Every structure is written in C-alpha cells, then in structure tokens.
Amino acid sequence: MNSLKALAITIICSLPATMLLSSCSHTEGKSETKEAAAPEEAAVSALSLQKGKLSSSLQIPGELIAYQQVDIYAKVSSFVRKLHVDVGAEVSTGQLLATMEAPEISSQLAGAESRLKAQEAIYLASKANYDRLYNTSLTPGTVSKNDLDIALARQNADKAQLDAARASYREISDTRNYLEIRAPFSGVISARNVSAGAYVGPTGKGSEFPLFTLQEQKKLRLVISVPEAYTSYLANNSEVNFNVKAFTGKSFTAKVNRLSGALDSRLRSQRIEMDVINNDKKLLPGMIAEVNIPMNSADSAFLVPKTAVVNSTVNVFVVKVVNGKAERVQVQTGREADGKIEIYGTDLNEGDTIVTAATEELRDGADLKHVKIGK
C-alpha cells in the first residue's frame, strides 16, 4: 500500500516538468518558423511625372425662354368687339389681333374735326384781311401802319389756334388707332385672357391680365448661370451641347452669343445666353435643359492619380522619391477627372518619381528601397 502511494506522487510531480518542456519546445519551433517565413519588404508603387491635358465637362441646368416675349394690353378704356386670333395662332408683324370699341372716342374725334374746320375758316378770313390791308398800304397814306400790325397779329394768332386744333385732332385720331391691337413682331400667341365683350383698359378693372401673350418661338434663348470658378471656359461663339427631358437621348447644339460681363452679387455666377434656332418648334419656352460645358485645358499640367496627393491638416503634398528616400513636396491642386488630378509645384519637374499611393506615414527621409515604377 505504501509503495502504491509513493508511485502516484512521483507521477504527479513529474507532470508539470514534462508539460513545461513540451511548451518550451513548441514555442521555440514557432519562433523559428516565423523567422523563416518573414516576407521581404513590400515594393512601393510610383510613376514618372509627366505633363498632360485634362479633359472634362461641367453639367449645369439652364432654361429655354422665348427670344422675344411681350404681354399685350389695351391702351385705352374700351370693350373688346372682336378677337381675330386665339391661343397657338401664328401671327406676323402688324397683323390685327383684336378690335376694340369706345363710342366716346368717336364723339371726341368728331368734335375735334369740327373745331379744326372752324379754326381753318377763321384763319383764312384773318389772312385774307391782312393781305388786303397790305396791298392797300402799298399806296402811301391809305392804311396806317398800326392797322396793318394789328391785322398781322390777328393772322398769327389765328394760325396758332389752327395748329392747336390740328394737334388736338391728331391726338384723338391716334388714340382711336389704339382700338386696333396689332402684333409688334412675328410669333405665337401663347395666352389669351379675354373674350369678346370684355371691358379692358390701362387702369382699373379689366387690366389685371394682358389681352394676349406673344412669344417668338422659332428662335429661343438658352440661359445659364455659370459659377465664378468656371467662367473662363466659355467665351463668345463657344459651342455647348444640351438635352431636354422631352427628347431623351437627343442632343442639341447652341453657341454663346451674350455674356453679362459681371457676376450676380448673390450667387457669384455669370449669366450667359445662347441663341437656339427652333424652326420646327420642337423646343418650347420654359423647358429645363441640361447643358454640357466642355472644360478642356488650354495649357498642360502635371497629372497624377488622386491617391498620390495627401491632403493633411497642415498642407497638401505629394511624395517624391530622391536617392531612395521619401521627400514631401508641397503642391496646389487643380481640376479632377477620371481618377486623375492636376498638381502644381515649384519643386516638381518632368520625370520626377512620385509615389502613387502616398500617406501621412511616409515621412521626409524615410527609406524607399523597393520602388516599382509603373505607367
């Protein structure tokens, strides 16, 4: 019995030592395996700095408006006697649109005509009187100079009255001409707000809305507001493409005709207008257009992938490889397109080696032993 207890104690005491030796042996094996499998230092991707031109475009919403548009009102208080056109009618310059009636104007014109004729008779009488006195005065001592001067003054006064009567008649006659509403230019009637018999006038009831709205639609204006940063990409005769939702997949062309030459004080953008020929009248005033503005660079610049530029809290930089070491170069950035970006810097030269995937961990002077230069 005592011998069995002693054997059990011996086995138990020997277990920790055995486990310890086994653990030490296993750890040493792992360390040796790690050292044997340690990979080589990863290669750093880089590129040779080259200049190029970045082509991109800017999408800006625009609006199509009529080249000319006017709201036509009645000049004088009157009633609509007849409408000669309706919505959608094509009219030409000077075409009669509506006829108005105002009986009081006809009465005024008749009175003015009577006064004119009366004044003409008075003037002819005073003129004849002066002519007779003048012819008589050619014989010395027959007519006093005072009587001749009075007759001449009377003739001049009657002449002035005659001119006033003619002006009054012309004024009322011109007013009567306003009873015929005519088109100021060729276009399309896009709105009609009255019917025959309606009372219209320059003030008061009936003048809240125009009789007609006339638009020139065979030629439209495409209006856009270009932000300050992009105003240099458009000039007179610059060509742009645009499309509208009504004609999906179809592109239209327009040329820049007018630039405002100033920035809007609120939006900091420039108003630019383009003329659009619309003879088939497919495009309508009021349509919203998506305008594609080409932004082709006039001069070449250094182009690098966007991943090569680090925008840190201190500055913006790229990492240049010089003699196997990293060197941070501060740069300014330009436009971006297709994953590339323009960079500008005084310490950059064509052919410099630039790290394509730079990070803030790449410090100045860091060793870059394995540099792989790609395209």
Side-chain angles (χ1 to χ4, degrees), residues 33-318:
T33 304
K34 282 184 180 180
E35 289 177 2
E40 296 182 358
E41 186 178 346
V44 176
S45 297
L47 58 85
S48 180
L49 191 61
Q50 301 293 332
K51 284 190 174 183
K53 290 185 178 181
L54 193 63
S55 296
S56 60
S57 60
L58 175 67
Q59 301 290 331
I60 289 183
E63 182 184 9
L64 288 167
I65 62 176
Y67 190 76
Q68 294 185 89
Q69 176 174 322
V70 63
D71 292 331
I72 301 176
Y73 289 85
K75 172 69 174 177
V76 295
S77 298
S78 55
F79 291 92
V80 178
R81 185 168 69 183
K82 185 177 181 181
L83 297 176
H84 300 277
V85 295
D86 210 328
V87 174
E90 289 192 41
V91 300
S92 56
T93 304
Q95 182 175 333
L96 185 62
L97 305 181
T99 304
M100 325 299 289
E101 59 181 356
E104 64 275 15
I105 293 181
S106 299
S107 300
Q108 291 172 8
L109 185 63
E113 185 177 7
S114 298
R115 287 191 296 272
L116 176 60
K117 290 180 178 180
Q119 198 59 47
E120 283 179 344
I122 294 172
Y123 169 70
L124 290 175
S126 62
K127 184 178 184 303
N129 181 56
Y130 171 75
D131 290 341
R132 285 193 298 270
L133 286 176
Y134 177 77
N135 291 331
T136 304
S137 69
L138 296 178
T139 302
T142 55
V143 177
S144 68
K145 190 172 188 320
N146 183 54
D147 291 342
L148 189 61
D149 290 342
I150 291 174
L152 178 61
R154 182 59 183 269
Q155 174 188 317
N156 292 337
D158 290 341
K159 179 65 167 60
Q161 292 293 327
L162 175 60
D163 291 341
R166 284 175 176 166
S168 177
Y169 177 80
R170 193 180 305 114
E171 178 185 2
I172 298 173
S173 179
D174 291 341
T175 301
R176 188 182 64 173
N177 291 337
Y178 288 123
L179 296 177
E180 291 184 344
I181 308 297
R182 297 185 179 274
F185 54 84
S186 298
V188 176
I189 301 296
S190 61
R192 175 186 64 81
N193 298 308
V194 296
S195 298
Y199 173 79
V200 294
T203 58
K205 187 176 180 181
S207 63
E208 293 86 355
F209 302 101
L211 275 67
F212 303 100
T213 297
L214 177 63
Q215 294 180 333
E216 181 179 353
Q217 296 184 1
K218 289 188 176 180
K219 191 176 181 181
L220 303 177
R221 298 175 189 257
L222 176 59
V223 182
I224 59 175
S225 293
V226 180
E228 178 183 0
Y230 305 103
T231 53
S232 61
Y233 295 103
L234 285 179
N236 276 324
N237 297 320
S238 295
E239 191 170 284
V240 301
N241 296 321
F242 69 94
N243 53 70
V244 295
K245 291 183 179 179
F247 300 98
T248 306
K250 184 173 182 180
S251 180
F252 300 88
T253 303
K255 281 189 177 181
V256 174
N257 294 94
R258 289 167 295 278
L259 296 91
S260 66
L263 297 181
D264 181 270
S265 58
R266 296 179 296 106
L267 302 177
R268 298 300 171 188
S269 59
Q270 180 177 211
R271 179 187 174 96
I272 295 178
E273 292 186 359
M274 290 154 275
D275 293 346
V276 180
I277 303 302
N278 188 40
N279 290 325
D280 55 5
K281 293 191 295 184
K282 285 185 176 180
L283 300 173
L284 301 177
M287 281 185 170
I288 300 300
E290 191 71 23
V291 183
N292 184 34
I293 299 176
M295 299 170 59
N296 298 324
S297 300
D299 300 319
S300 58
F302 291 123
L303 299 180
V304 297
K306 291 172 64 175
T307 55
V309 180
V310 180
N311 192 354
S312 69
T313 55
V314 179
N315 54 26
V316 180
F317 64 89
V318 296

